[in-house]
Amino acid sequence: MAIRLRGLSKSFGQVEAVAGVDLEIGDGEFFSMLGPSGSGKTTVLRMIAGFEAPTAGTVELAGQDVTRLAPFERDVNTVFQDYALFPHMSVEQNVAYGLKIRRVPKAERAERAREALASVQLADFGKRRPAQLSGGQRQRVALARALVNRPKVLLLDEPLGALDLKLREQMQVELKALQREVGITFVFVTHDQVEALTMSDRIAVFNRGRIEQVGTPAEVYERPATPFVAGFVGTSNLLTDEGGTYSIRPEKIRLLDEEAPAGTGDDLRTVTGTVAEVVYRGDSTRFLVALDEGGRLTALQQNHETSSEEVAAYRGTRIRLQWHRRHNVIVTTPESPEAPEAPETESTCV
Amino acid sequence: MNDTFGRRIAGMLHRRPRLRLSLLLSAPLLWLVLAYLGSLAALFLSAFWTTDPFTSDVVKSWSPDNFRTLLTTSVYRDVALRSLAVAVAVTVIDAVIAFPIAFYTARVASPRYRHLLVVAILTPLWASYLVKAYAWRIMLSEGGPLDWLLKPLGLHGPGYGLPAVIMVLAYLWLPYMILPIHAGLEQLPANLLDASADLGARTWRTFRSVVLPMVFPSIAAGSVFTFSLSLGDYIAVQIVGGKTQLIGNLVYSNITLDLPLAAALGTVPVAIIVLYLLAVRRSGALAAI
């Protein structure tokens, strides 16, 4: 077990940032902590690193209680959100900083720093200052600076947040490959669900200082445990009927013309409505449909044959939606006292 | 009518950036050249004149005699070196005292408290220099408050003299050192300190490898103030210096007797400060000012 958190809590004055988190992260796992800003995920990361002392609870690294240890006494390294490179040092000096402090001999230090920079494709940039690098390059230096120390655990605090989309997608793939290669436990904090789903072995979804669900990307996406998870991870369509409240993912829904012959059977659910809005996204189109029975559903269609002009013509037309009942994810049953809570997330869609 | 005229002028200025710039800068440049550089040039020129020993009149003939006197007379050499030593000592003392204070105000104190502390640091600058210097004269006097305070420890105050001059100058110029360091520390990103600790550095190591190099420009900026103000001072030394002589009061006492010599003496601190600024500039610190 690389990391074990028990009853971890942190209050800043009156504000309870983390409210009792229990978590176990295995060796060599790529573990993501996903949640909106202010959900406590970064605070948990900072408590693992040792930058914040918990108000209650313990942090164990490799079976050893490190709750009271300073950051420099813990065998973890951090990649910071804005990289935190030392501006007065060259790239090489930045990377070698941790080794220098550990009194690694000069020759070995230079060799390892060179290797680390090569592993992030920055072999020729050692003499430069951080200010002379682009955002993506700085990000890689920060990664090399942390990895060169061969920590047991690497903590990454929204490391890709400042990069543009193309670079971010590229870095996601590279990070995952790097993690497989070095076999170190990665704890990755992000508010981007796609990022978490793409890269992680397991995901913990945070909300208001608590963990709502821990599971593999497929578990979290296909079987969200709470309305919050259903809404935050992917776009959720919440529907209520006699069976309770359930969520259906937009890509599971088929769009049919009102007159077209529809499949029948108990395993199919069919509803009718009017297309309220059409959002063309290049590779796909999102249809926002106002249902006759009340409520709204979002349906996603791949643009196999349709073009933007064609999909725009759908606005205001009558339409039929159909999906397999097995894709329904029950989030609350009628007996459940808690009212379904659909978070307002019009963010990145899956 | 008036409005359109104003608009025409504004439009014309908008199309002529050079004219705009020269209108903006001509007055301050005139002041700088005439009053500032002009007086410096006059000082330097008059240092080459001589004084008639009988009539005490200034003789406007060219001669490097004054500078020769400065370099060959041991008294002047000693005074110049002593002044330099005082300026260095004051700068070092101020830097050592200012750093922890600035660290507290910039990084430890809560934001609300921080403003109060900065005001508290600035407050002494509103009091008259003379009042503060005379207050120290009383503090340092024989059997005065300082003697009384140190008596239980079996010690007595430094009395009037060179140590008193250094103490008082260090006291007077301290705010000029605290403020730039405070600004420098305030701008230091907190996550750099986290990153250093994360990479295994203990507090002292982080201070040495991250904090100090990054606020060095601020310390250098503060030192320009403390160094040049100490080098030019001639009042504190008269009030608490006893028999101590520094360049400042040599210039002061020579002004009426031998103006050209006083001018030559006056170029010494100017030269030292120019050299000091060049050294600071080489360290890259002036880029921050």
Side-chain angles (χ1 to χ4, degrees):
Chain A
M1 195 58 59
I3 300 172
R4 177 178 286 140
L5 310 177
R6 282 197 193 138
L8 202 61
S9 299
K10 176 72 184 179
S11 303
F12 297 101
Q14 296 295 307
V15 184
E16 198 173 34
V18 178
V21 163
D22 294 284
L23 194 60
E24 293 188 350
I25 300 172
D27 286 314
E29 212 177 347
F30 197 120
F31 191 91
S32 290
M33 302 203 284
L34 174 68
S37 52
S39 61
K41 56 196 192 304
T42 293
T43 308
V44 169
L45 193 86
R46 289 177 62 80
M47 287 193 281
I48 298 173
F51 304 137
E52 309 279 357
T55 318
T58 58
V59 178
E60 278 177 36
L61 292 174
Q64 187 205 353
D65 186 345
V66 299
T67 315
R68 301 276 153 231
L69 295 188
F72 49 77
E73 295 168 305
R74 302 184 186 200
D75 194 8
V76 299
N77 284 115
T78 308
V79 176
F80 292 85
Q81 187 169 14
D82 43 7
Y83 322 134
L85 299 178
F86 304 122
H88 59 293
M89 298 182 194
S90 70
V91 164
E92 224 166 48
Q93 287 169 327
N94 263 286
V95 175
Y97 187 76
L99 300 176
K100 198 172 169 188
I101 283 160
R102 261 152 241 202
R103 299 214 171 81
V104 173
K106 202 170 180 178
E108 189 193 337
R109 209 196 297 159
E111 176 62 24
R112 276 171 68 178
R114 218 174 42 76
E115 272 172 30
L117 280 174
S119 75
V120 293
Q121 286 101 50
L122 285 176
D124 300 329
F125 292 78
K127 300 284 177 232
R128 296 213 195 169
R129 292 281 167 132
Q132 296 168 302
L133 302 180
S134 71
Q137 290 168 333
R138 278 180 225 180
Q139 216 288 309
R140 288 156 199 262
V141 175
L143 201 60
R145 183 177 70 175
L147 282 173
V148 77
N149 304 295
R150 296 172 191 156
K152 288 202 193 84
V153 174
L154 186 71
L155 306 173
L156 303 106
D157 184 9
E158 308 216 12
L160 310 181
L163 305 181
D164 63 60
L165 184 64
K166 268 267 180 311
L167 206 53
R168 199 158 69 215
E169 285 173 348
Q170 182 193 340
M171 281 303 291
Q172 286 169 8
V173 176
E174 280 180 31
L175 260 184
K176 181 69 190 165
L178 195 66
Q179 191 261 343
R180 264 195 219 104
E181 194 183 302
V182 293
I184 294 174
T185 308
F186 274 36
V187 180
F188 189 94
V189 163
T190 180
H191 62 262
D192 184 335
Q193 2 146 10
V194 187
E195 207 162 271
L197 292 172
T198 333
M199 305 169 74
S200 324
D201 296 319
R202 283 196 307 151
I203 299 172
V205 183
F206 278 73
N207 182 32
R208 297 183 186 170
R210 287 171 214 280
I211 293 179
E212 297 255 340
Q213 187 177 4
V214 182
T216 63
E219 279 167 7
V220 169
Y221 185 73
E222 306 280 348
R223 291 188 293 283
T226 65
F228 176 82
V229 176
F232 191 73
V233 183
T235 307
S236 112
N237 287 315
L238 289 177
L239 274 181
T240 309
D241 63 13
E242 62 280 2
T245 299
Y246 55 88
S247 152
I248 177 73
R249 295 296 183 192
E251 71 277 9
K252 310 287 191 200
I253 302 175
R254 285 180 66 199
L255 267 86
L256 301 164
D257 286 341
E258 210 175 18
E259 294 84 27
T264 48
D266 279 352
D267 57 337
L268 285 177
R269 174 98 156 87
T270 310
V271 292
T272 53
T274 310
V275 177
E277 195 56 75
V278 179
V279 184
Y280 181 70
R281 297 165 59 85
D283 57 348
S284 57
T285 305
R286 294 163 68 81
F287 296 86
L288 202 61
V289 180
L291 303 182
D292 295 341
E293 60 189 67
R296 287 177 152 209
L297 278 185
T298 303
L300 187 78
Q301 289 256 296
Q302 292 300 312
N303 291 335
H304 292 300
E305 283 147 14
T306 38
S307 71
S308 60
E309 292 84 7
E310 285 157 10
V311 297
Y314 275 94
R315 190 175 291 118
T317 58
R318 298 283 301 156
I319 211 158
R320 204 147 34 134
L321 304 176
Q322 194 171 61
W323 65 92
H324 281 276
R325 284 184 195 275
R326 66 185 166 91
H327 292 310
N328 287 352
V329 179
I330 305 291
V331 284
T332 44
T333 51
E335 294 82 49
S336 159
E338 194 186 347
E341 165 200 13
E344 297 288 325
T345 45
E346 272 306 313
S347 51
T348 345
C349 315
V350 181
Chain B
M1 186 67 196
N2 214 352
D3 186 45
T4 49
F5 181 69
R7 287 177 75 91
R8 265 201 357 240
I9 297 267
M12 190 187 76
L13 285 176
H14 181 77
R15 286 186 294 275
R16 291 177 180 74
R18 254 166 219 271
L19 179 65
R20 209 164 63 208
L21 196 66
S22 49
L23 279 177
L24 183 73
L25 288 183
S26 54
L29 272 179
L30 201 70
W31 169 257
L32 201 68
V33 170
L34 280 187
Y36 204 79
L37 294 177
S39 65
L40 252 175
L43 171 83
F44 195 63
L45 287 179
S46 58
F48 288 95
W49 297 337
T50 45
T51 305
D52 189 306
F54 296 108
T55 60
S56 286
D57 283 341
V58 173
V59 182
K60 295 181 180 176
S61 63
W62 297 95
S63 137
D65 281 356
N66 288 323
F67 288 103
R68 194 175 296 138
T69 313
L70 286 189
L71 291 171
T72 51
T73 315
S74 65
V75 176
Y76 292 134
R77 262 205 327 263
D78 290 350
V79 168
L81 285 177
R82 189 184 303 134
S83 304
L84 184 64
V86 166
V88 169
V90 168
T91 299
V92 170
I93 291 170
D94 275 348
V96 169
I97 298 175
F99 197 93
I101 297 175
F103 192 85
Y104 183 80
T105 59
R107 300 215 71 101
V108 183
S110 66
R112 203 169 58 107
Y113 201 41
R114 186 172 299 165
H115 297 304
L116 281 176
L117 284 170
V118 172
V119 170
I121 290 162
L122 283 170
T123 311
L125 295 179
W126 298 344
S128 150
Y129 175 107
L130 276 176
V131 170
K132 287 184 283 185
Y134 273 107
W136 272 97
R137 190 180 164 86
I138 295 164
M139 288 279 285
L140 291 159
S141 61
E142 187 79 37
L146 205 61
D147 277 354
W148 176 79
L149 262 174
L150 292 171
K151 207 172 183 179
L153 304 170
L155 301 166
H156 57 82
Y160 302 135
L162 193 58
V165 172
I166 295 174
M167 260 174 76
V168 172
L169 289 178
Y171 158 77
L172 286 170
W173 312 139
L174 185 62
Y176 295 102
M177 185 63 101
I178 296 177
L179 288 177
I181 299 182
H182 169 90
L185 283 170
E186 211 173 26
Q187 286 166 16
L188 190 71
N191 64 6
L192 289 187
L193 307 185
D194 282 348
S196 181
D198 186 69
L199 292 163
R202 282 155 200 283
T203 314
W204 174 242
R205 177 69 197 229
T206 298
F207 175 76
R208 208 155 46 85
S209 299
V210 179
V211 178
L212 209 52
M214 288 201 64
V215 296
F216 182 74
S218 311
I219 299 175
S223 80
V224 170
F225 294 121
T226 58
F227 187 82
S228 53
L229 287 170
S230 302
L231 210 53
D233 187 84
Y234 65 99
I235 302 174
V237 64
Q238 289 181 34
I239 297 173
V240 297
K243 292 195 177 72
T244 312
Q245 292 223 303
L246 297 179
I247 291 182
N249 57 332
L250 269 192
V251 173
Y252 184 69
S253 56
N254 271 306
I255 276 179
T256 44
L257 302 174
D258 189 344
L259 186 66
L261 183 65
L265 277 165
T267 58
V268 174
V270 174
I272 294 176
I273 288 166
V274 167
L275 287 177
Y276 184 76
L277 283 174
L278 286 175
V280 170
R281 203 180 101 115
R282 271 192 76 140
S283 76
L286 286 184
I289 305 179

